[in-house]
Amino acid sequence: MTGARILIVDDDELLCEMLASLFRMSGYEVTVAHDGEAGLTKLAAEGADLIVLDLVMPKMDGLRFLRILPERIAQPPRVIVASASATPEMDKKLGQAEIAAVVRKPVKPALLLATVAEALEKPTGG
Amino acid sequence: MAVAPSKILDAVKGDRDARWAFLIALGIAAIVALLNYASFLTASDGLLLDAGNRASEPTAPKVVVVDPGTQDPAGNFELLERLAETARNLGAVRIGLYSANAPGALPESPSVPLTFGLAELGRVPSADDRIDYAAARIAAADHGISRRQTPSFASANGAIPSFETALAGRLAAKDYFVRMPREQNIPVVSLAQVLANDFHADDFEGMVMIVAPGRDLTEAHLSTPLSKDGARTPASLFSAYAVQSLLDRSEIYAATPWTAFAAILALTLAVAAAMTAFEPKRALAPVLFLGVLSALLAAYLALSFANLLLPITAMIVAIIMAAVGLLLFSEVRQDRRLAAILERAIAMAFGNSPYDAQTEPGRHLTEAAERIGLHHSLVLSVPHSGPASVLGAFRADQDDMPSERTLRLIAADRKDSATSIERPTDWNGEVHSALLSSDDPALVWLYSAPAEGKAPHPAEHAHNIAAAIRQTHEWRNDLSTGARRARRKRPIDAQLASAASLITARSDRIAAGLDGLETAAMIFHLGGFPVHANAQMEALARQAGLTPHGTNLLKTLTALSDFSADHLSELLSAIIRDGVEIRIPAKDFGGLQRILRVAPMLKGTHDIIILEAVDITEQNRLAQQRSAVGNFVDKQLRNDLEVIELGAEIGQASAGEGSHVKEIFFNLSETVQRAIGRLEEVADFLNDTGTSAANVCYPLDARKVVDEALEKVAPFAAEFDVSIETALPGISGFTMAEPKSLLATCEAMLRIVIADTPHGGRVKARLTEELDGTVIEVSGGFGIPFERLMAALDSRSEEVPEEYRALASGFKDVARWQGLSSYWSAVGQGLRFNVKMRRIG
């Protein structure tokens, strides 16, 4: 599903740039936000087909972002959580959120791209 | 004071001192008995005899004394015959008459038997068995008092019975004491009355009639127990008492030497038993009192019922000698034991200690002089004869020594003042001198100190050091082996006082040293009772609700740890059995974490168990810091490396797409720069470890800290019926702080606001993480005037609630972490506290 729009929400600017390059090379359109609040704003303004979300962020962390997302956006896009904090304990917290996949950092480009492709092909849960 | 005989025997068998005590008692008994036998102690016996004698019970008179007036029946045949006839009619059984010699004309077969007491000793055979001759002689007086009579007297013609023996018709066994009761009735009648037959027929029934000497014989008058103040008892009356005694069989005999010895021995042994059974000094007075009382009672009973005169003086002397002698013996033994203790005390005080600073005063004082800030110092050895020498010098040399005369004065302790000592040319400040030891050689310290300065002044330090050394020297000299002969001349208690002072001074210094340790330590006897605790342990024990002096090992461990008494008891058994030490975690007291180390030191009679409470808060903090730094490195540096890795992989995958590759390598370069920057941050954290603990902060999870604070205040909030509304991030980044201090700060903020919130009210706690900072905000409550809040946070007074002091301290820590804190309050609008710290990563 090339041409799909991916929103990267991560406070690590360099990583954002790196992921954005990876996704653009694969034909995706990419927008970037560096905290949860900014991510929600961009999503509301520009929309996205998929969100690649970090968990540890200032202002609004990933968990809060996931909790608020369905409240702010009527049909939220799928979310791939990419975080070094994606531990089994965190998985339990994430269990209730509507997420497509969890990718633990370090992110392997091929795996991430495959996961993104897979997530974009799945129909949204609404 | 009653002591069972079996106990005495057991004591004698098992106790060397007791055996000696009884031997001493035996010796004293023998000595006193010999003195008594040699009549050294009998003078006062007579006095006691007289007292008892006079108090004796009287008996019915068996003797009547006839005063012949101007007549002399012994030399008048007719008168004698009439007297005998009348006496027979009156019932008399015998008549005794005094005569210079045997009368020439005597009635044949007189009506009653006649006994002539002859002044001249000479055996006179009697032609008639109703006429008898005896010796009218009184035994020599004892110390001026006639109280004794002899049953018979030796003469050239053999033993002649005494007048009294002959009249009583009973030969006494030996010399006897005449019983002379004060109340005894010895009738005295005149011859004229008898001859006139003025009496009833049986008035003299069964009585012996003694006719006093006639006109031609001057009758002797004696001092007797009844007339001790003068010779007022006629010899005939004394004889009458003697005859009465013999007829009553109440004459008194002196105890034989063996009886006397037995009586004395019995008493001295009893004294020995009492003095052995009880502490001699305490027993002395009761023993003397009861001993003397017993002796007097025994003497009285013997006199009254056995007609026996006990050597009462000797008995009392023996009691006193035995009691005092045994006390002295006990004192000597005690002194010997104390001397043995003293030897040990000496050894303990300085003999066996390798830590004896007295051995090199020159070196020690020279180093001390520099340490305490003296200008100059000179330690000198000044022999009683010969030149003085320098033992140690600080900014001084031999040329700075004062004159020989001055040194001698100081050494003789006749000059201790600095003012008159000639000042060495290059010395500045006030010059002082101190005599450290007056031995030979004497030890003298000359020093100079700044004239003025802030307290404590170097001169004060020097004075105190000198006083301590001199005192110690004096004590040591009292006890030193070299002065053993001199020691013998000094009372043992004075020597012990020196030893005790020396040991006490050493103990005080050791105790002060133990108090200075950071570790709380307590020493227990193997039996579990406390021996010593340093100040830190005493404070810790009090925090745990213990009284250090009234506790024991098990109780202390139970109070200081979370282990059960049963479990600890098993652990203690194991460490004593195996001689190993254990370490168990202590409860948290005063926010400090400790490990309890229990170590047995088994050395025979000095078995002890040491309990240490080692503060591991700092170690824990460092471990936590290491963990946090490690975590930071793991999370953040790993992140950077992962970005690099990702970039490298993307680079490989996009080979040929020039613009992307350029962009990716630019990002890689940026990431590498950032990774280096983070390594620098890590280096900063590690460097912080070596600085003051108070300033140390490191990356931590602020949410965890706030969670813990909320958990800690939850019961407090429940007590006030206050709910806490929280706004916390689901996951937290890295905040620069020190967790203990941040926890205490959060807890203090929460407690202050909760305490100010009405029942049913709500307190807000918010943790917000910004890009560059983490903010903790606590608000709520009714509010107090801002000035009051500010004053409470500024005050160091103990009266200010602990939470305000903790918060003030926490705010200072936040500033040290390069953070910010603020507070606000208004009556009716509530309180608000804000803490902002750096956020990194």
Side-chain angles (χ1 to χ4, degrees):
Chain A
M1 192 178 173
T2 52
R5 288 170 299 164
I6 299 174
L7 171 62
I8 302 171
V9 185
D10 195 319
D11 63 331
D12 188 334
E13 291 177 20
L14 283 172
L15 183 63
C16 283
E17 290 301 317
M18 207 70 84
L19 289 175
S21 296
L22 176 67
F23 292 144
R24 282 188 192 117
M25 278 167 58
S26 301
Y28 298 110
E29 287 182 28
V30 181
T31 50
V32 173
H34 293 310
D35 61 63
E37 189 62 50
L40 285 172
T41 306
K42 280 211 168 172
L43 187 61
E46 301 173 21
D49 299 311
L50 182 74
I51 300 168
V52 176
L53 177 68
D54 186 20
L55 290 178
V56 181
M57 289 180 295
K59 294 185 181 173
M60 183 186 291
D61 60 88
L63 291 176
R64 190 145 175 252
F65 179 92
L66 285 170
R67 198 164 57 244
I68 293 173
L69 178 63
E71 297 168 7
R72 293 266 190 97
I73 307 296
Q75 283 193 322
R78 295 187 176 283
V79 178
I80 292 175
V81 172
S83 173
S85 303
T87 58
E89 187 186 348
M90 193 55 68
D91 287 348
K92 286 181 189 172
K93 289 187 179 177
L94 293 171
Q96 296 171 350
E98 188 69 27
I99 54 175
V102 177
V103 179
R104 192 188 184 288
K105 291 178 181 176
V107 181
K108 295 286 181 189
L111 174 65
L112 181 61
L113 289 173
T115 307
V116 166
E118 191 182 339
L120 286 171
E121 281 171 15
K122 282 185 183 175
T124 57
Chain B
M1 293 288 284
V3 183
S6 59
K7 281 191 178 176
I8 297 170
L9 285 174
D10 289 346
V12 173
K13 281 177 192 165
D15 188 340
R16 192 160 164 262
D17 284 2
R19 280 201 298 278
W20 272 107
F22 281 92
L23 281 174
I24 287 169
L26 184 64
I28 288 172
I31 292 165
V32 175
L34 280 172
L35 289 172
N36 182 62
Y37 182 67
S39 299
F40 282 108
L41 302 171
T42 53
S44 49
D45 281 2
L47 303 177
L48 291 165
L49 168 66
D50 295 343
N53 202 351
R54 285 196 300 274
S56 298
E57 283 294 314
T59 56
K62 296 184 173 66
V63 183
V64 58
V65 177
V66 178
D67 178 4
T70 56
Q71 301 181 77
D72 181 16
N76 185 326
F77 174 80
E78 187 182 340
L79 190 60
L80 187 58
E81 217 172 30
R82 277 180 61 202
L83 174 63
E85 181 61 26
T86 312
R88 185 178 64 83
N89 292 337
L90 292 172
V93 295
R94 186 176 285 273
I95 297 173
L97 301 109
Y98 291 92
S99 177
N101 295 299
L106 288 169
E108 285 187 19
S109 189
S111 299
V112 292
L114 302 176
T115 297
F116 288 94
L118 305 180
E120 292 295 327
L121 283 181
R123 193 169 182 81
V124 180
S126 175
D128 188 331
D129 59 355
R130 291 176 74 82
I131 296 173
D132 192 13
Y133 300 98
R137 180 177 289 190
I138 305 296
D142 296 318
H143 303 284
I145 305 292
S146 293
R147 56 174 82 90
R148 192 162 54 87
Q149 180 57 311
T150 305
S152 63
F153 294 92
S155 75
N157 299 319
I160 298 176
S162 69
F163 185 49
E164 295 78 11
T165 303
L167 285 174
R170 188 170 76 82
L171 189 64
K174 57 181 181 176
D175 279 13
Y176 59 93
F177 296 102
V178 175
R179 197 175 281 278
M180 303 180 77
R182 189 185 290 111
E183 305 296 329
Q184 181 63 51
N185 178 20
I186 302 288
V188 178
V189 298
S190 69
L191 180 61
Q193 284 179 293
V194 176
L195 294 177
N197 207 6
D198 282 351
F199 303 98
H200 294 107
D202 298 330
D203 274 358
F204 298 152
E205 184 64 36
M207 294 174 74
V208 171
M209 191 177 279
I210 295 176
V211 181
R215 179 179 295 175
D216 59 332
L217 288 175
T218 304
E219 185 178 20
H221 281 70
L222 311 171
S223 289
T224 66
L226 295 179
S227 59
K228 297 184 75 166
D229 50 346
R232 290 186 285 106
T233 304
S236 56
L237 185 61
F238 181 79
S239 292
Y241 275 103
V243 174
Q244 177 83 23
S245 299
L246 290 170
L247 291 173
D248 284 340
R249 294 185 176 274
S250 64
E251 75 275 16
I252 299 163
Y253 295 97
T256 63
W258 282 113
T259 308
F261 175 66
I264 292 166
L265 182 60
L267 283 170
T268 53
L269 289 179
V271 168
M275 298 290 277
T276 307
F278 300 96
E279 202 281 311
K281 275 182 200 164
R282 290 184 185 175
L284 182 66
V287 163
L288 284 177
F289 176 74
L290 292 175
V292 170
L293 198 66
S294 303
L296 288 170
L297 185 65
Y300 172 75
L301 293 174
L303 192 67
S304 300
F305 301 104
N307 300 326
L308 183 66
L309 175 63
L310 289 178
I312 185 65
T313 309
M315 286 159 70
I316 291 172
V317 168
I319 288 167
I320 294 168
M321 281 181 69
V324 174
L326 288 169
L327 177 64
L328 291 174
F329 170 73
S330 149
E331 289 290 304
V332 170
R333 300 286 296 182
Q334 197 173 355
D335 279 4
R336 284 187 186 163
R337 278 195 291 270
L338 286 175
I341 294 169
L342 189 62
E343 293 294 339
R344 288 182 54 208
I346 293 165
M348 183 181 170
F350 62 89
N352 293 339
S353 174
Y355 307 107
D356 191 354
Q358 310 297 320
T359 49
E360 293 181 79
R363 183 168 67 83
H364 288 298
L365 288 177
T366 301
E367 288 172 7
E370 186 172 6
R371 201 162 50 237
I372 64 178
L374 296 180
H375 286 325
H376 306 272
S377 165
L378 204 52
V379 183
L380 300 168
S381 171
V382 184
H384 288 180
S385 59
S389 59
V390 176
L391 296 179
F394 168 64
R395 290 184 194 149
D397 55 34
Q398 189 140 8
D399 296 339
D400 296 328
M401 276 204 293
S403 67
E404 179 82 10
R405 182 176 167 278
T406 306
L407 273 180
R408 297 273 168 234
L409 283 174
I410 297 171
D413 206 10
R414 285 160 59 192
K415 178 187 273 191
D416 196 23
S417 163
T419 50
S420 56
I421 297 174
E422 56 269 38
R423 172 190 294 275
T425 47
D426 55 347
W427 281 30
N428 48 19
E430 283 183 357
V431 181
H432 299 257
S433 73
L435 177 62
L436 303 175
S437 167
S438 54
D439 289 354
D440 186 14
L443 204 58
V444 170
W445 188 19
L446 297 176
Y447 56 90
S448 73
E452 291 177 353
K454 62 177 183 179
H457 196 264
E460 276 179 53
H461 284 308
H463 176 78
N464 292 339
I465 291 170
I469 291 178
R470 179 164 185 183
Q471 185 69 77
T472 309
H473 262 286
E474 284 175 5
W475 290 334
R476 286 160 58 92
N477 284 347
D478 276 353
L479 305 171
S480 66
T481 318
R484 204 177 280 276
R485 184 175 296 172
R487 272 167 52 194
R488 287 203 191 97
K489 293 180 186 171
R490 297 203 63 209
I492 193 89
D493 52 349
Q495 294 177 49
L496 274 176
S498 291
S501 301
L502 209 49
I503 293 167
T504 304
R506 183 177 287 261
S507 298
D508 286 348
R509 288 186 192 121
I510 291 170
L514 285 174
D515 287 349
L517 295 177
E518 283 189 359
T519 301
M522 194 163 186
I523 300 167
F524 291 88
H525 188 270
L526 189 62
F529 52 82
V531 176
H532 182 78
N534 67 1
Q536 287 76 2
M537 180 56 89
E538 288 192 351
L540 182 60
R542 275 192 286 275
Q543 278 184 299
L546 292 171
T547 308
H549 303 97
T551 186
N552 60 40
L553 180 56
L554 185 59
K555 201 171 158 186
T556 308
L557 282 174
T558 310
L560 294 181
S561 75
D562 285 320
F563 287 79
S564 71
D566 290 343
H567 190 182
L568 287 167
S569 188
E570 283 176 24
L571 285 174
L572 290 177
S573 301
I575 68 164
I576 292 168
R577 186 180 58 240
D578 303 331
V580 295
E581 66 174 51
I582 57 165
R583 286 164 195 262
I584 55 174
K587 285 180 190 165
D588 198 353
F589 291 104
L592 298 180
Q593 297 154 314
R594 297 179 179 85
I595 282 284
L596 298 175
R597 174 177 170 264
V598 188
M601 306 284 284
L602 306 177
K603 293 182 177 176
T605 53
H606 301 301
D607 288 349
I608 53 168
I609 296 175
I610 294 172
L611 168 63
E612 277 183 280
V614 184
D615 183 357
I616 55 165
T617 311
E618 182 61 15
Q619 288 96 314
N620 275 1
R621 191 189 66 76
L622 291 173
Q624 219 167 355
Q625 187 178 358
R626 278 196 296 273
S627 167
V629 171
N631 191 31
F632 178 77
V633 170
D634 179 55
K635 292 271 172 66
Q636 297 299 316
L637 207 52
R638 175 192 292 273
N639 201 37
D640 294 345
L641 293 171
E642 284 166 6
V643 175
I644 294 168
E645 185 188 13
L646 179 64
E649 287 193 19
I650 294 171
Q652 284 172 7
S654 60
E657 297 178 36
S659 61
H660 286 299
V661 171
K662 191 177 177 184
E663 187 180 346
I664 285 165
F665 277 102
F666 173 77
N667 287 336
L668 279 176
S669 171
E670 286 290 303
T671 308
V672 169
Q673 289 299 318
R674 192 173 67 177
I676 290 168
R678 280 176 173 159
L679 281 174
E680 293 295 332
E681 284 182 42
V682 170
D684 288 344
F685 302 150
L686 296 175
N687 287 340
D688 277 351
T689 310
T691 62
S692 165
N695 296 326
V696 167
C697 59
Y698 45 88
L700 53 81
D701 184 341
R703 155 132 200 188
K704 279 186 184 172
V705 177
V706 175
D707 273 341
E708 195 178 341
L710 288 166
E711 196 177 320
K712 287 184 84 170
V713 301
F716 184 65
E719 190 184 321
F720 278 74
D721 191 22
V722 169
S723 60
I724 304 175
E725 181 187 310
T726 58
L728 309 176
I731 188 163
S732 193
F734 291 103
T735 299
M736 293 299 288
E738 197 285 318
K740 286 272 175 195
S741 174
L742 183 58
L743 174 64
T745 306
C746 290
E747 194 181 339
M749 291 192 293
L750 286 163
R751 282 182 181 275
I752 290 171
V753 178
I754 289 168
D756 192 53
T757 303
H759 278 254
R762 181 177 292 179
V763 170
K764 288 181 183 174
R766 176 191 294 271
L767 171 64
T768 313
E769 296 200 355
E770 306 290 344
L771 194 61
D772 60 346
T774 299
V775 179
I776 299 172
E777 181 184 314
V778 177
S779 59
F782 182 76
I784 59 174
F786 181 72
E787 293 75 17
R788 228 179 98 200
L789 176 63
M790 196 162 62
L793 290 172
D794 281 347
S795 175
R796 292 180 182 177
S797 166
E798 293 285 322
E799 290 174 7
V800 172
E802 190 185 338
E803 289 80 9
Y804 286 91
R805 282 182 277 139
L807 187 55
S809 169
F811 282 169
K812 284 179 188 165
D813 287 346
V814 170
R816 289 190 191 104
W817 309 329
Q818 298 172 33
L820 298 167
S821 54
S822 62
Y823 50 88
W824 175 87
S825 176
V827 176
Q829 296 179 51
L831 292 151
R832 189 168 66 241
F833 296 109
N834 266 294
V835 172
K836 184 173 183 182
M837 294 153 288
R838 283 182 293 151
R839 186 177 181 278
I840 63 167

